[in-house]
């Protein structure tokens, strides 16, 4: 027949997907009848397509968790925008995307931002410091908690931003002191806490010029969990050898205490 | 608000399935879906009148990729050993083995190929919708789909070593 389109890989794919108009479908069937090897491949691809659908079908049949109900998401957006475990993954995206997300067309494909680098770097440094100092029995801190006022004043001056040691008594941790650390060429502050069982938690803070504010970011390295975030030009990282669910409320508490201290009138909408 | 819910909620089962297929982790997948829904709600006014389904899948895939980049940048290895313990929903042992294999095969593919197989083959997106989600021309969708299926077939027939040898 003159003028008939030659068979293409797009035809074969549409054949596998059952998306061909019937005339074309019949043409492909005839074509494959003459090509047993190719026909065998196509039939394998159809089988595998079906197998994948069957394997994944259960997930779409599960009851939808209530946290994914749109009404609940709308309600929690009104309450608070930052403190849910799911915000952690979103934080990554917010950082990478910045403020430029438009409609379709490539703007989502954003490169890693400076803020993301900073927060990842701060988290890495903080976890390293956590590992080194929490295992220290004789000198875990440079300045002990009985000199808290001096400690806070000293670290604030060196870091260049007002700091304080959050009160974590309600979470079962008491301050045991703090120390100054190098962060590249800049200073960083480390507060250390201990619970009744001797479990230690550290809060790392350093000045970071880039991002004004980020949501929480979670990571875990060999059993040490860390939440990090940037707020008003300071990077914070809280680290402990606990799981994410245990650490999140502590990170929230620290965040809220800093927020309340720095600007009590301002509330997060 | 009710309009948002009535448009979004029918899409959630498919978004959960795509998220789970990418992540293989129940909690992580639902975190990703939740982030997707939040993003969609937050950007609802910027949504074009076009295809809601393609828009949602595009948001979800981009959130997934951003998370993946972040894990890579931290040097964490996300291997496929985790898949070895995956229980399949099938009941008979033979069923279990074959269904298990298809996911291992899927996992042997690069993300672009996994996504195209999932979006077209499982989520029934049209080729036009898949092109929007992946932000590529439709010709690229077709050739990528063709390569993905060939590679999956090759993996299922010949195992991992054959696929790895042919990586270009």
């Amino acid at each position: 027949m003159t003028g008939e389109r030659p068979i293409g890989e797009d035809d074969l794919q549409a054949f596998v997907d059952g998306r061909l108009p019937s005339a074309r479908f019949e043409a492909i069937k005839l074509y494959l009848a003459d090509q047993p090897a190719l026909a065998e491949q196509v039939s394998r691809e159809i089988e595998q397509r079906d197998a994948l659908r069957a394997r994944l079908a259960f997930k779409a049949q599960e009851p939808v968790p209530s946290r994914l109900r749109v009404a609940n998401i709308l309600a929690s957006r009104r309450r608070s925008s930052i403190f849910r475990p799911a915000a952690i993954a979103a934080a990554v995206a917010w950082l990478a995307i910045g403020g430029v997300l438009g409609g379709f067309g490539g703007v989502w494909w954003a490169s890693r931002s400076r803020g993301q680098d900073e927060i990842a770097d701060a988290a890495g440094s903080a976890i390293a410091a956590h590992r080194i100092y929490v295992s220290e029995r004789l000198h875990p801190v440079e300045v002990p908690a009985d000199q808290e006022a001096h400690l806070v004043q000293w670290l604030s001056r060196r870091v260049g931003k007002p700091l304080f040691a959050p009160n974590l008594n309600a979470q079962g941790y008491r301050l045991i002191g703090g120390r100054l650390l190098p962060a590249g060429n800049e200073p960083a502050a480390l507060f250390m806490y201990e619970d009744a069982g001797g479990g230690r938690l550290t809060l790392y803070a350093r000045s970071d010029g880039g991002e004004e504010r980020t949501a929480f970011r979670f990571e875990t390295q060999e059993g040490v969990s860390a939440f990090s975030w940037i707020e008003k030009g300071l990077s914070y990282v809280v680290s402990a050898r606990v799981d994410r669910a245990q650490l999140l409320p502590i990170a929230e508490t620290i965040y809220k205490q800093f927020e309340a201290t720095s600007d009590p009138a301002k509330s997060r909408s | 608000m009710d309009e948002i819910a009535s448009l979004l909620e029918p899409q959630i089962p498919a978004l959960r399935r795509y998220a789970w297929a990418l992540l293989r982790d129940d909690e992580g997948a639902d975190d990703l879906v939740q982030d997707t829904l939040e993003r969609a709600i937050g950007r609802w006014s910027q949504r074009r009148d076009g295809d809601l389904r393609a828009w949602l899948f595009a948001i979800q895939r981009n959130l997934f990729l951003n998370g993946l980049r972040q894990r890579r940048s931290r040097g964490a290895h996300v291997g496929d050993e985790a898949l070895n313990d995956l229980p399949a929903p099938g009941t008979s042992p033979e069923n279990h083995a074959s269904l298990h294999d298809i996911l291992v095969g899927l996992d042997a593919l690069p993300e672009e190929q996994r996504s195209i197989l999932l979006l077209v083959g499982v989520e029934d997106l049209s080729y036009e919708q898949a092109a929007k989600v992946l932000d590529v021309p439709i010709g690229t969708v077709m050739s990528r789909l063709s390569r993905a299926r060939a590679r999956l077939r090759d993996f299922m027939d010949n195992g991992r070593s054959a696929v790895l040898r042919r990586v270009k």
Side-chain angles (χ1 to χ4, degrees), chain A residues 29-89:
Chain A
K29 258 170 75 175
L30 280 174
Y31 172 80
L32 289 175
D34 283 341
Q35 306 221 30
L38 187 60
E40 171 61 22
Q41 288 186 359
V42 168
S43 111
R44 292 277 289 143
E45 290 182 8
I46 292 171
E47 278 170 32
Q48 283 162 4
R49 182 184 192 274
D50 291 345
L52 193 58
R53 290 172 79 90
R55 177 63 182 87
L56 294 170
F58 79 99
K59 200 66 197 176
Q61 287 157 10
E62 281 180 2
V64 171
S66 65
R67 68 170 164 129
L68 298 183
R69 283 285 179 215
V70 171
N72 295 338
I73 290 174
L74 289 168
S76 69
R77 272 171 67 81
R78 283 191 286 274
R79 262 201 322 278
S80 152
S81 61
I82 195 166
F83 291 125
R84 286 160 299 90
I88 296 147

Side-chain angles (χ1 to χ4, degrees), chain A residues 233-262:
Chain A
L234 271 173
S235 291
Y236 299 89
V237 186
V238 57
S239 314
R241 197 170 276 281
V242 298
D243 67 25
R244 169 170 139 165
Q246 292 171 288
L247 192 58
L248 180 62
I250 298 170
E252 288 179 16
T253 301
I254 294 169
Y255 173 84
K256 284 172 184 160
Q257 288 186 19
F258 272 100
E259 187 185 47
T261 306
S262 65

Side-chain angles (χ1 to χ4, degrees), chain A residues 166-237:
Chain A
N167 182 333
L168 301 179
N169 290 339
Q171 285 69 38
Y173 286 93
R174 67 177 182 83
L175 182 71
I176 59 174
R179 64 168 62 239
L180 190 67
L181 296 171
N185 293 321
E186 300 293 315
L190 188 76
F191 292 108
M192 194 180 296
Y193 295 78
E194 198 168 60
D195 70 11
R200 284 173 173 178
L201 174 147
T202 55
L203 173 65
Y204 175 98
R206 75 182 195 200
S207 185
D208 255 323
E211 296 283 321
E212 172 67 8
R213 165 184 290 179
T214 69
F216 281 6
R217 172 186 186 280
F218 177 76
E219 73 179 87
T220 174
Q221 286 183 15
E222 294 165 39
V224 177
S225 298
F227 274 103
S228 42
W229 68 98
I230 298 178
E231 180 75 20
K232 298 193 176 70
L234 271 173
S235 291
Y236 299 89
V237 186

